[in-house]
Amino acid sequence: MVEQARKLNPGIKFQQGDMLKLDVEDEAWGAIAAFYSIINIPRDDVLPALSELNRVLRTGGLLLLAFHLGEETIHMEEWWGEDVSLDFNFFRPEEVEGYLKTAGFVVKEVIEREPYEGVEYPSRRAYIIGQKE
């Protein structure tokens, strides 16, 4: 997927990594946009992943986090005609706010919205802006 993105956007630097152990120096980034990044991480690893994002953000840096609302985990064995084994975790906003605060973020804003009908999976979504203290 990263190779395809590089081919389509040769002027943009793409880097693939593990949210639990980023190959980045402390306080290297000013902001992070993590859209639907936590939905494939086991719940027990969400706090360590957010702590790692906090580590690489500068003081005052912002994190924009998007995820599906709910409490369920949906498992898929087939997606777009391909064999897969994927879990999609849904979260309550209060749950993610708690993880963010424990990881060292101040929650600045929480926005919820309905899905775009006919385009997206039919679940409500949340966007949370956190700031590194």
Side-chain angles (χ1 to χ4, degrees):
M1 190 150 179
V2 172
E3 289 306 317
Q4 182 181 10
R6 285 186 181 126
K7 288 178 186 173
L8 294 172
N9 304 281
I12 299 174
K13 179 183 175 188
F14 290 89
Q15 186 174 341
Q16 184 174 333
D18 180 345
M19 287 178 68
L20 295 168
K21 186 168 178 22
L22 295 169
D23 187 19
V24 178
E25 294 178 24
D26 292 357
E27 298 190 352
W29 296 341
I32 297 171
F35 277 44
Y36 307 99
S37 299
I38 64 169
I39 66 171
N40 300 117
I41 297 175
R43 265 191 166 70
D44 290 344
D45 289 337
V46 172
L47 178 55
L50 294 175
S51 296
E52 180 67 354
L53 296 180
N54 184 281
R55 179 190 68 79
V56 302
L57 274 177
R58 295 181 194 123
T59 300
L62 297 174
L63 169 64
L64 174 55
L65 195 62
F67 53 93
H68 295 277
L69 290 174
E71 297 181 19
E72 65 267 34
T73 297
I74 296 174
H75 181 77
M76 295 180 68
E77 294 287 334
E78 184 273 331
W79 195 16
W80 294 332
E82 299 291 329
D83 290 336
V84 297
S85 180
L86 290 172
D87 287 330
F88 294 89
N89 298 303
F90 289 46
F91 297 91
R92 294 178 336 281
E94 314 79 57
E95 177 184 8
V96 175
E97 286 183 66
Y99 293 146
L100 286 166
K101 290 174 183 175
T102 301
F105 289 94
V106 173
V107 175
K108 303 301 260 181
E109 189 168 2
V110 179
I111 300 168
E112 295 182 23
R113 73 165 175 85
E114 297 296 326
Y116 298 125
E117 203 170 314
V119 178
E120 295 180 318
Y121 183 82
S123 68
R124 289 183 50 79
R125 287 108 200 304
Y127 300 85
I128 296 183
I129 298 172
Q131 187 170 31
K132 181 176 179 174
E133 296 185 290

PDB file of all heavy atoms in Angstrom, residues 89-122:
ATOM      1  N   ASN A  89     -12.192  -2.716  15.759  1.00  0.00           N
ATOM      2  CA  ASN A  89     -12.664  -2.395  17.101  1.00  0.00           C
ATOM      3  C   ASN A  89     -13.360  -1.045  17.104  1.00  0.00           C
ATOM      4  O   ASN A  89     -12.849  -0.068  16.561  1.00  0.00           O
ATOM      5  CB  ASN A  89     -11.491  -2.366  18.078  1.00  0.00           C
ATOM      6  CG  ASN A  89     -10.820  -3.706  18.173  1.00  0.00           C
ATOM      7  OD1 ASN A  89     -11.460  -4.693  18.498  1.00  0.00           O
ATOM      8  ND2 ASN A  89      -9.542  -3.762  17.865  1.00  0.00           N
ATOM      9  N   PHE A  90     -14.521  -1.003  17.721  1.00  0.00           N
ATOM     10  CA  PHE A  90     -15.280   0.225  17.882  1.00  0.00           C
ATOM     11  C   PHE A  90     -15.082   0.689  19.332  1.00  0.00           C
ATOM     12  O   PHE A  90     -14.889  -0.131  20.224  1.00  0.00           O
ATOM     13  CB  PHE A  90     -16.763  -0.034  17.614  1.00  0.00           C
ATOM     14  CG  PHE A  90     -17.103  -0.304  16.170  1.00  0.00           C
ATOM     15  CD1 PHE A  90     -16.362  -1.180  15.386  1.00  0.00           C
ATOM     16  CD2 PHE A  90     -18.192   0.329  15.591  1.00  0.00           C
ATOM     17  CE1 PHE A  90     -16.694  -1.435  14.065  1.00  0.00           C
ATOM     18  CE2 PHE A  90     -18.533   0.091  14.258  1.00  0.00           C
ATOM     19  CZ  PHE A  90     -17.780  -0.804  13.502  1.00  0.00           C
ATOM     20  N   PHE A  91     -15.140   2.003  19.551  1.00  0.00           N
ATOM     21  CA  PHE A  91     -14.852   2.562  20.872  1.00  0.00           C
ATOM     22  C   PHE A  91     -15.904   3.589  21.273  1.00  0.00           C
ATOM     23  O   PHE A  91     -16.454   4.286  20.421  1.00  0.00           O
ATOM     24  CB  PHE A  91     -13.483   3.271  20.867  1.00  0.00           C
ATOM     25  CG  PHE A  91     -12.326   2.367  20.593  1.00  0.00           C
ATOM     26  CD1 PHE A  91     -11.889   2.162  19.297  1.00  0.00           C
ATOM     27  CD2 PHE A  91     -11.669   1.715  21.622  1.00  0.00           C
ATOM     28  CE1 PHE A  91     -10.816   1.327  19.025  1.00  0.00           C
ATOM     29  CE2 PHE A  91     -10.602   0.879  21.369  1.00  0.00           C
ATOM     30  CZ  PHE A  91     -10.177   0.686  20.066  1.00  0.00           C
ATOM     31  N   ARG A  92     -16.114   3.717  22.561  1.00  0.00           N
ATOM     32  CA  ARG A  92     -16.926   4.800  23.103  1.00  0.00           C
ATOM     33  C   ARG A  92     -16.016   6.028  23.240  1.00  0.00           C
ATOM     34  O   ARG A  92     -14.838   5.891  23.599  1.00  0.00           O
ATOM     35  CB  ARG A  92     -17.506   4.432  24.467  1.00  0.00           C
ATOM     36  CG  ARG A  92     -18.506   3.295  24.439  1.00  0.00           C
ATOM     37  CD  ARG A  92     -19.043   2.915  25.823  1.00  0.00           C
ATOM     38  NE  ARG A  92     -18.227   3.229  26.982  1.00  0.00           N
ATOM     39  CZ  ARG A  92     -17.151   2.516  27.399  1.00  0.00           C
ATOM     40  NH1 ARG A  92     -16.751   1.472  26.746  1.00  0.00           N
ATOM     41  NH2 ARG A  92     -16.491   2.886  28.474  1.00  0.00           N
ATOM     42  N   PRO A  93     -16.537   7.232  23.005  1.00  0.00           N
ATOM     43  CA  PRO A  93     -15.693   8.429  23.137  1.00  0.00           C
ATOM     44  C   PRO A  93     -15.052   8.547  24.516  1.00  0.00           C
ATOM     45  O   PRO A  93     -13.876   8.897  24.625  1.00  0.00           O
ATOM     46  CB  PRO A  93     -16.662   9.588  22.874  1.00  0.00           C
ATOM     47  CG  PRO A  93     -17.745   8.991  22.062  1.00  0.00           C
ATOM     48  CD  PRO A  93     -17.881   7.569  22.530  1.00  0.00           C
ATOM     49  N   GLU A  94     -15.818   8.211  25.583  1.00  0.00           N
ATOM     50  CA  GLU A  94     -15.268   8.344  26.941  1.00  0.00           C
ATOM     51  C   GLU A  94     -14.086   7.400  27.147  1.00  0.00           C
ATOM     52  O   GLU A  94     -13.148   7.715  27.874  1.00  0.00           O
ATOM     53  CB  GLU A  94     -16.320   8.009  28.002  1.00  0.00           C
ATOM     54  CG  GLU A  94     -17.691   8.611  27.828  1.00  0.00           C
ATOM     55  CD  GLU A  94     -18.559   7.886  26.798  1.00  0.00           C
ATOM     56  OE1 GLU A  94     -18.815   6.675  26.901  1.00  0.00           O
ATOM     57  OE2 GLU A  94     -18.973   8.580  25.856  1.00  0.00           O
ATOM     58  N   GLU A  95     -14.163   6.225  26.526  1.00  0.00           N
ATOM     59  CA  GLU A  95     -13.081   5.254  26.626  1.00  0.00           C
ATOM     60  C   GLU A  95     -11.797   5.823  26.019  1.00  0.00           C
ATOM     61  O   GLU A  95     -10.726   5.797  26.636  1.00  0.00           O
ATOM     62  CB  GLU A  95     -13.496   3.963  25.912  1.00  0.00           C
ATOM     63  CG  GLU A  95     -12.450   2.884  25.882  1.00  0.00           C
ATOM     64  CD  GLU A  95     -12.890   1.667  25.076  1.00  0.00           C
ATOM     65  OE1 GLU A  95     -13.946   1.689  24.400  1.00  0.00           O
ATOM     66  OE2 GLU A  95     -12.146   0.679  25.117  1.00  0.00           O
ATOM     67  N   VAL A  96     -11.920   6.379  24.817  1.00  0.00           N
ATOM     68  CA  VAL A  96     -10.743   6.926  24.133  1.00  0.00           C
ATOM     69  C   VAL A  96     -10.242   8.179  24.851  1.00  0.00           C
ATOM     70  O   VAL A  96      -9.027   8.374  24.985  1.00  0.00           O
ATOM     71  CB  VAL A  96     -11.046   7.204  22.649  1.00  0.00           C
ATOM     72  CG1 VAL A  96      -9.860   7.875  21.961  1.00  0.00           C
ATOM     73  CG2 VAL A  96     -11.404   5.898  21.939  1.00  0.00           C
ATOM     74  N   GLU A  97     -11.148   9.001  25.349  1.00  0.00           N
ATOM     75  CA  GLU A  97     -10.727  10.175  26.133  1.00  0.00           C
ATOM     76  C   GLU A  97      -9.899   9.740  27.334  1.00  0.00           C
ATOM     77  O   GLU A  97      -8.880  10.360  27.650  1.00  0.00           O
ATOM     78  CB  GLU A  97     -11.938  10.975  26.598  1.00  0.00           C
ATOM     79  CG  GLU A  97     -12.608  11.771  25.514  1.00  0.00           C
ATOM     80  CD  GLU A  97     -13.765  12.591  26.055  1.00  0.00           C
ATOM     81  OE1 GLU A  97     -13.514  13.521  26.856  1.00  0.00           O
ATOM     82  OE2 GLU A  97     -14.923  12.295  25.676  1.00  0.00           O
ATOM     83  N   GLY A  98     -10.314   8.679  28.009  1.00  0.00           N
ATOM     84  CA  GLY A  98      -9.558   8.154  29.149  1.00  0.00           C
ATOM     85  C   GLY A  98      -8.175   7.684  28.744  1.00  0.00           C
ATOM     86  O   GLY A  98      -7.181   7.970  29.425  1.00  0.00           O
ATOM     87  N   TYR A  99      -8.096   6.962  27.630  1.00  0.00           N
ATOM     88  CA  TYR A  99      -6.784   6.517  27.131  1.00  0.00           C
ATOM     89  C   TYR A  99      -5.890   7.721  26.837  1.00  0.00           C
ATOM     90  O   TYR A  99      -4.704   7.729  27.180  1.00  0.00           O
ATOM     91  CB  TYR A  99      -6.929   5.708  25.838  1.00  0.00           C
ATOM     92  CG  TYR A  99      -7.611   4.371  25.952  1.00  0.00           C
ATOM     93  CD1 TYR A  99      -8.393   3.893  24.909  1.00  0.00           C
ATOM     94  CD2 TYR A  99      -7.475   3.557  27.079  1.00  0.00           C
ATOM     95  CE1 TYR A  99      -9.020   2.653  24.972  1.00  0.00           C
ATOM     96  CE2 TYR A  99      -8.099   2.320  27.158  1.00  0.00           C
ATOM     97  CZ  TYR A  99      -8.871   1.878  26.101  1.00  0.00           C
ATOM     98  OH  TYR A  99      -9.482   0.651  26.165  1.00  0.00           O
ATOM     99  N   LEU A 100      -6.466   8.727  26.175  1.00  0.00           N
ATOM    100  CA  LEU A 100      -5.673   9.908  25.812  1.00  0.00           C
ATOM    101  C   LEU A 100      -5.150  10.628  27.054  1.00  0.00           C
ATOM    102  O   LEU A 100      -3.974  11.005  27.109  1.00  0.00           O
ATOM    103  CB  LEU A 100      -6.503  10.863  24.952  1.00  0.00           C
ATOM    104  CG  LEU A 100      -6.728  10.421  23.512  1.00  0.00           C
ATOM    105  CD1 LEU A 100      -7.834  11.242  22.863  1.00  0.00           C
ATOM    106  CD2 LEU A 100      -5.436  10.527  22.715  1.00  0.00           C
ATOM    107  N   LYS A 101      -6.001  10.830  28.036  1.00  0.00           N
ATOM    108  CA  LYS A 101      -5.577  11.523  29.265  1.00  0.00           C
ATOM    109  C   LYS A 101      -4.485  10.732  29.974  1.00  0.00           C
ATOM    110  O   LYS A 101      -3.496  11.308  30.430  1.00  0.00           O
ATOM    111  CB  LYS A 101      -6.778  11.750  30.177  1.00  0.00           C
ATOM    112  CG  LYS A 101      -7.736  12.794  29.627  1.00  0.00           C
ATOM    113  CD  LYS A 101      -9.001  12.912  30.467  1.00  0.00           C
ATOM    114  CE  LYS A 101      -9.961  13.910  29.836  1.00  0.00           C
ATOM    115  NZ  LYS A 101     -11.249  13.961  30.542  1.00  0.00           N
ATOM    116  N   THR A 102      -4.640   9.412  30.044  1.00  0.00           N
ATOM    117  CA  THR A 102      -3.630   8.574  30.687  1.00  0.00           C
ATOM    118  C   THR A 102      -2.309   8.633  29.923  1.00  0.00           C
ATOM    119  O   THR A 102      -1.233   8.581  30.525  1.00  0.00           O
ATOM    120  CB  THR A 102      -4.129   7.116  30.794  1.00  0.00           C
ATOM    121  OG1 THR A 102      -5.344   7.105  31.552  1.00  0.00           O
ATOM    122  CG2 THR A 102      -3.109   6.222  31.466  1.00  0.00           C
ATOM    123  N   ALA A 103      -2.390   8.772  28.597  1.00  0.00           N
ATOM    124  CA  ALA A 103      -1.183   8.829  27.759  1.00  0.00           C
ATOM    125  C   ALA A 103      -0.525  10.208  27.766  1.00  0.00           C
ATOM    126  O   ALA A 103       0.523  10.392  27.144  1.00  0.00           O
ATOM    127  CB  ALA A 103      -1.529   8.428  26.322  1.00  0.00           C
ATOM    128  N   GLY A 104      -1.116  11.195  28.448  1.00  0.00           N
ATOM    129  CA  GLY A 104      -0.486  12.509  28.563  1.00  0.00           C
ATOM    130  C   GLY A 104      -1.045  13.578  27.647  1.00  0.00           C
ATOM    131  O   GLY A 104      -0.396  14.602  27.413  1.00  0.00           O
ATOM    132  N   PHE A 105      -2.253  13.371  27.142  1.00  0.00           N
ATOM    133  CA  PHE A 105      -2.892  14.366  26.281  1.00  0.00           C
ATOM    134  C   PHE A 105      -3.978  15.107  27.046  1.00  0.00           C
ATOM    135  O   PHE A 105      -4.606  14.562  27.952  1.00  0.00           O
ATOM    136  CB  PHE A 105      -3.551  13.697  25.064  1.00  0.00           C
ATOM    137  CG  PHE A 105      -2.582  13.155  24.057  1.00  0.00           C
ATOM    138  CD1 PHE A 105      -2.184  11.831  24.101  1.00  0.00           C
ATOM    139  CD2 PHE A 105      -2.075  13.971  23.058  1.00  0.00           C
ATOM    140  CE1 PHE A 105      -1.305  11.313  23.169  1.00  0.00           C
ATOM    141  CE2 PHE A 105      -1.191  13.466  22.115  1.00  0.00           C
ATOM    142  CZ  PHE A 105      -0.799  12.138  22.169  1.00  0.00           C
ATOM    143  N   VAL A 106      -4.217  16.340  26.639  1.00  0.00           N
ATOM    144  CA  VAL A 106      -5.376  17.096  27.073  1.00  0.00           C
ATOM    145  C   VAL A 106      -6.371  17.003  25.924  1.00  0.00           C
ATOM    146  O   VAL A 106      -6.023  17.289  24.778  1.00  0.00           O
ATOM    147  CB  VAL A 106      -5.028  18.579  27.336  1.00  0.00           C
ATOM    148  CG1 VAL A 106      -6.269  19.395  27.626  1.00  0.00           C
ATOM    149  CG2 VAL A 106      -4.016  18.693  28.466  1.00  0.00           C
ATOM    150  N   VAL A 107      -7.599  16.587  26.211  1.00  0.00           N
ATOM    151  CA  VAL A 107      -8.620  16.481  25.171  1.00  0.00           C
ATOM    152  C   VAL A 107      -9.179  17.877  24.918  1.00  0.00           C
ATOM    153  O   VAL A 107      -9.722  18.513  25.812  1.00  0.00           O
ATOM    154  CB  VAL A 107      -9.731  15.490  25.575  1.00  0.00           C
ATOM    155  CG1 VAL A 107     -10.848  15.487  24.540  1.00  0.00           C
ATOM    156  CG2 VAL A 107      -9.145  14.092  25.751  1.00  0.00           C
ATOM    157  N   LYS A 108      -9.018  18.345  23.679  1.00  0.00           N
ATOM    158  CA  LYS A 108      -9.444  19.690  23.309  1.00  0.00           C
ATOM    159  C   LYS A 108     -10.853  19.727  22.723  1.00  0.00           C
ATOM    160  O   LYS A 108     -11.582  20.685  22.931  1.00  0.00           O
ATOM    161  CB  LYS A 108      -8.469  20.314  22.301  1.00  0.00           C
ATOM    162  CG  LYS A 108      -7.029  20.381  22.784  1.00  0.00           C
ATOM    163  CD  LYS A 108      -6.908  21.178  24.043  1.00  0.00           C
ATOM    164  CE  LYS A 108      -6.425  22.565  23.756  1.00  0.00           C
ATOM    165  NZ  LYS A 108      -6.270  23.373  24.963  1.00  0.00           N
ATOM    166  N   GLU A 109     -11.194  18.681  21.955  1.00  0.00           N
ATOM    167  CA  GLU A 109     -12.510  18.672  21.313  1.00  0.00           C
ATOM    168  C   GLU A 109     -12.891  17.256  20.909  1.00  0.00           C
ATOM    169  O   GLU A 109     -12.034  16.460  20.522  1.00  0.00           O
ATOM    170  CB  GLU A 109     -12.500  19.574  20.078  1.00  0.00           C
ATOM    171  CG  GLU A 109     -13.853  19.794  19.470  1.00  0.00           C
ATOM    172  CD  GLU A 109     -13.884  20.900  18.424  1.00  0.00           C
ATOM    173  OE1 GLU A 109     -12.840  21.490  18.115  1.00  0.00           O
ATOM    174  OE2 GLU A 109     -14.986  21.160  17.913  1.00  0.00           O
ATOM    175  N   VAL A 110     -14.186  16.975  21.002  1.00  0.00           N
ATOM    176  CA  VAL A 110     -14.744  15.694  20.556  1.00  0.00           C
ATOM    177  C   VAL A 110     -15.915  16.012  19.630  1.00  0.00           C
ATOM    178  O   VAL A 110     -16.814  16.762  19.999  1.00  0.00           O
ATOM    179  CB  VAL A 110     -15.249  14.844  21.744  1.00  0.00           C
ATOM    180  CG1 VAL A 110     -15.844  13.534  21.241  1.00  0.00           C
ATOM    181  CG2 VAL A 110     -14.128  14.584  22.748  1.00  0.00           C
ATOM    182  N   ILE A 111     -15.868  15.453  18.437  1.00  0.00           N
ATOM    183  CA  ILE A 111     -16.928  15.660  17.449  1.00  0.00           C
ATOM    184  C   ILE A 111     -17.439  14.291  17.027  1.00  0.00           C
ATOM    185  O   ILE A 111     -16.647  13.390  16.752  1.00  0.00           O
ATOM    186  CB  ILE A 111     -16.405  16.421  16.213  1.00  0.00           C
ATOM    187  CG1 ILE A 111     -15.867  17.790  16.618  1.00  0.00           C
ATOM    188  CG2 ILE A 111     -17.487  16.538  15.140  1.00  0.00           C
ATOM    189  CD1 ILE A 111     -15.069  18.481  15.523  1.00  0.00           C
ATOM    190  N   GLU A 112     -18.762  14.147  16.976  1.00  0.00           N
ATOM    191  CA  GLU A 112     -19.361  12.906  16.495  1.00  0.00           C
ATOM    192  C   GLU A 112     -20.166  13.213  15.242  1.00  0.00           C
ATOM    193  O   GLU A 112     -20.702  14.311  15.092  1.00  0.00           O
ATOM    194  CB  GLU A 112     -20.284  12.306  17.563  1.00  0.00           C
ATOM    195  CG  GLU A 112     -19.550  11.870  18.808  1.00  0.00           C
ATOM    196  CD  GLU A 112     -20.456  11.230  19.840  1.00  0.00           C
ATOM    197  OE1 GLU A 112     -21.548  10.730  19.460  1.00  0.00           O
ATOM    198  OE2 GLU A 112     -20.085  11.230  21.016  1.00  0.00           O
ATOM    199  N   ARG A 113     -20.244  12.215  14.337  1.00  0.00           N
ATOM    200  CA  ARG A 113     -21.035  12.409  13.123  1.00  0.00           C
ATOM    201  C   ARG A 113     -21.620  11.093  12.638  1.00  0.00           C
ATOM    202  O   ARG A 113     -21.140  10.021  12.988  1.00  0.00           O
ATOM    203  CB  ARG A 113     -20.207  13.054  12.013  1.00  0.00           C
ATOM    204  CG  ARG A 113     -19.192  12.127  11.367  1.00  0.00           C
ATOM    205  CD  ARG A 113     -18.680  12.707  10.051  1.00  0.00           C
ATOM    206  NE  ARG A 113     -17.628  11.926   9.461  1.00  0.00           N
ATOM    207  CZ  ARG A 113     -17.805  10.862   8.671  1.00  0.00           C
ATOM    208  NH1 ARG A 113     -19.010  10.429   8.388  1.00  0.00           N
ATOM    209  NH2 ARG A 113     -16.765  10.221   8.161  1.00  0.00           N
ATOM    210  N   GLU A 114     -22.644  11.215  11.823  1.00  0.00           N
ATOM    211  CA  GLU A 114     -23.260  10.070  11.172  1.00  0.00           C
ATOM    212  C   GLU A 114     -22.400   9.672   9.965  1.00  0.00           C
ATOM    213  O   GLU A 114     -21.662  10.499   9.428  1.00  0.00           O
ATOM    214  CB  GLU A 114     -24.677  10.417  10.700  1.00  0.00           C
ATOM    215  CG  GLU A 114     -25.643  10.757  11.827  1.00  0.00           C
ATOM    216  CD  GLU A 114     -25.892   9.586  12.765  1.00  0.00           C
ATOM    217  OE1 GLU A 114     -25.894   8.430  12.301  1.00  0.00           O
ATOM    218  OE2 GLU A 114     -26.093   9.837  13.973  1.00  0.00           O
ATOM    219  N   PRO A 115     -22.508   8.425   9.508  1.00  0.00           N
ATOM    220  CA  PRO A 115     -21.757   8.020   8.315  1.00  0.00           C
ATOM    221  C   PRO A 115     -22.338   8.671   7.064  1.00  0.00           C
ATOM    222  O   PRO A 115     -23.501   9.070   7.044  1.00  0.00           O
ATOM    223  CB  PRO A 115     -21.961   6.505   8.271  1.00  0.00           C
ATOM    224  CG  PRO A 115     -23.264   6.285   8.954  1.00  0.00           C
ATOM    225  CD  PRO A 115     -23.321   7.332  10.046  1.00  0.00           C
ATOM    226  N   TYR A 116     -21.520   8.782   6.028  1.00  0.00           N
ATOM    227  CA  TYR A 116     -21.997   9.247   4.732  1.00  0.00           C
ATOM    228  C   TYR A 116     -22.715   8.067   4.086  1.00  0.00           C
ATOM    229  O   TYR A 116     -22.086   7.080   3.701  1.00  0.00           O
ATOM    230  CB  TYR A 116     -20.846   9.759   3.871  1.00  0.00           C
ATOM    231  CG  TYR A 116     -20.132  10.941   4.484  1.00  0.00           C
ATOM    232  CD1 TYR A 116     -18.766  10.908   4.700  1.00  0.00           C
ATOM    233  CD2 TYR A 116     -20.840  12.086   4.855  1.00  0.00           C
ATOM    234  CE1 TYR A 116     -18.113  11.992   5.268  1.00  0.00           C
ATOM    235  CE2 TYR A 116     -20.182  13.164   5.427  1.00  0.00           C
ATOM    236  CZ  TYR A 116     -18.828  13.115   5.631  1.00  0.00           C
ATOM    237  OH  TYR A 116     -18.185  14.185   6.200  1.00  0.00           O
ATOM    238  N   GLU A 117     -24.015   8.175   4.005  1.00  0.00           N
ATOM    239  CA  GLU A 117     -24.859   7.075   3.543  1.00  0.00           C
ATOM    240  C   GLU A 117     -24.468   6.609   2.137  1.00  0.00           C
ATOM    241  O   GLU A 117     -24.246   7.419   1.242  1.00  0.00           O
ATOM    242  CB  GLU A 117     -26.320   7.535   3.552  1.00  0.00           C
ATOM    243  CG  GLU A 117     -27.301   6.399   3.626  1.00  0.00           C
ATOM    244  CD  GLU A 117     -28.708   6.887   3.869  1.00  0.00           C
ATOM    245  OE1 GLU A 117     -28.903   7.756   4.751  1.00  0.00           O
ATOM    246  OE2 GLU A 117     -29.591   6.396   3.165  1.00  0.00           O
ATOM    247  N   GLY A 118     -24.346   5.301   2.004  1.00  0.00           N
ATOM    248  CA  GLY A 118     -24.023   4.710   0.713  1.00  0.00           C
ATOM    249  C   GLY A 118     -22.555   4.750   0.352  1.00  0.00           C
ATOM    250  O   GLY A 118     -22.152   4.203  -0.670  1.00  0.00           O
ATOM    251  N   VAL A 119     -21.748   5.396   1.190  1.00  0.00           N
ATOM    252  CA  VAL A 119     -20.313   5.532   0.905  1.00  0.00           C
ATOM    253  C   VAL A 119     -19.476   4.856   1.986  1.00  0.00           C
ATOM    254  O   VAL A 119     -18.468   4.230   1.688  1.00  0.00           O
ATOM    255  CB  VAL A 119     -19.913   7.028   0.795  1.00  0.00           C
ATOM    256  CG1 VAL A 119     -18.425   7.186   0.560  1.00  0.00           C
ATOM    257  CG2 VAL A 119     -20.715   7.718  -0.295  1.00  0.00           C
ATOM    258  N   GLU A 120     -19.896   5.003   3.228  1.00  0.00           N
ATOM    259  CA  GLU A 120     -19.125   4.505   4.358  1.00  0.00           C
ATOM    260  C   GLU A 120     -19.860   3.375   5.068  1.00  0.00           C
ATOM    261  O   GLU A 120     -21.076   3.228   4.935  1.00  0.00           O
ATOM    262  CB  GLU A 120     -18.898   5.627   5.386  1.00  0.00           C
ATOM    263  CG  GLU A 120     -18.049   6.756   4.886  1.00  0.00           C
ATOM    264  CD  GLU A 120     -17.870   7.829   5.941  1.00  0.00           C
ATOM    265  OE1 GLU A 120     -18.846   8.179   6.632  1.00  0.00           O
ATOM    266  OE2 GLU A 120     -16.744   8.304   6.076  1.00  0.00           O
ATOM    267  N   TYR A 121     -19.103   2.643   5.869  1.00  0.00           N
ATOM    268  CA  TYR A 121     -19.710   1.650   6.737  1.00  0.00           C
ATOM    269  C   TYR A 121     -20.757   2.362   7.610  1.00  0.00           C
ATOM    270  O   TYR A 121     -20.488   3.467   8.110  1.00  0.00           O
ATOM    271  CB  TYR A 121     -18.635   0.980   7.605  1.00  0.00           C
ATOM    272  CG  TYR A 121     -19.180  -0.108   8.481  1.00  0.00           C
ATOM    273  CD1 TYR A 121     -19.376  -1.380   7.972  1.00  0.00           C
ATOM    274  CD2 TYR A 121     -19.537   0.152   9.799  1.00  0.00           C
ATOM    275  CE1 TYR A 121     -19.916  -2.390   8.767  1.00  0.00           C
ATOM    276  CE2 TYR A 121     -20.066  -0.843  10.604  1.00  0.00           C
ATOM    277  CZ  TYR A 121     -20.256  -2.110  10.077  1.00  0.00           C
ATOM    278  OH  TYR A 121     -20.793  -3.096  10.859  1.00  0.00           O
ATOM    279  N   PRO A 122     -21.929   1.778   7.817  1.00  0.00           N
ATOM    280  CA  PRO A 122     -23.007   2.488   8.521  1.00  0.00           C
ATOM    281  C   PRO A 122     -22.827   2.546  10.038  1.00  0.00           C
ATOM    282  O   PRO A 122     -23.590   1.946  10.795  1.00  0.00           O
ATOM    283  CB  PRO A 122     -24.258   1.680   8.128  1.00  0.00           C
ATOM    284  CG  PRO A 122     -23.742   0.303   7.884  1.00  0.00           C
ATOM    285  CD  PRO A 122     -22.358   0.489   7.308  1.00  0.00           C
TER     286      PRO A 122
END
